[in-house]
Amino acid sequence: MEDGHDEGIGQAALRVLVAGGGIAGQALAFWLTRGGHQVTVVERFPALRAARAQVDLRGQGIEAVKRMGIQRSPGS
C-alpha cells in the first residue's frame, strides 16, 4: 500500500449496472469495460436520441475524448 491504494481492490472483474444512457453513462461504461468489467447500461427512453443532443467539449473534455480514442479528425 505504498501509493495509498489497497492492492486487493480492482483485482476481480465486477458486474456493473449503469443507469442512464447519456454522455456520462456511456463514458463510464466505456472506461469500466476497458478496465475489464462487465457493464450493462439501462435507459428509460425506448431509443437513443440521435437529434438535438449536441455535446460541446472544452478543456478536460477534449483530453478525455483523446484518451478514449474517439476524437474525430478535422473534415470527417
Side-chain angles (χ1 to χ4, degrees):
M1 194 160 134
E2 295 175 14
D3 61 358
H5 293 86
D6 184 355
E7 292 178 15
I9 295 176
Q11 296 298 323
L14 301 173
R15 291 175 49 200
V16 181
L17 177 66
V18 176
I23 188 75
Q26 293 296 317
L28 177 61
F30 173 89
W31 288 113
L32 288 171
T33 301
R34 193 166 176 183
H37 303 291
Q38 180 183 346
V39 180
T40 301
V41 178
V42 294
E43 172 59 53
R44 67 180 170 161
F45 290 100
L48 295 176
R49 290 168 267 172
R52 299 177 288 171
Q54 179 179 352
V55 176
D56 184 17
L57 294 174
R58 297 180 185 163
Q60 292 178 333
I62 295 171
E63 182 61 30
V65 168
K66 286 179 183 177
R67 288 183 182 194
M68 293 171 83
I70 59 174
Q71 182 180 21
R72 285 187 174 179
S73 58
S76 64

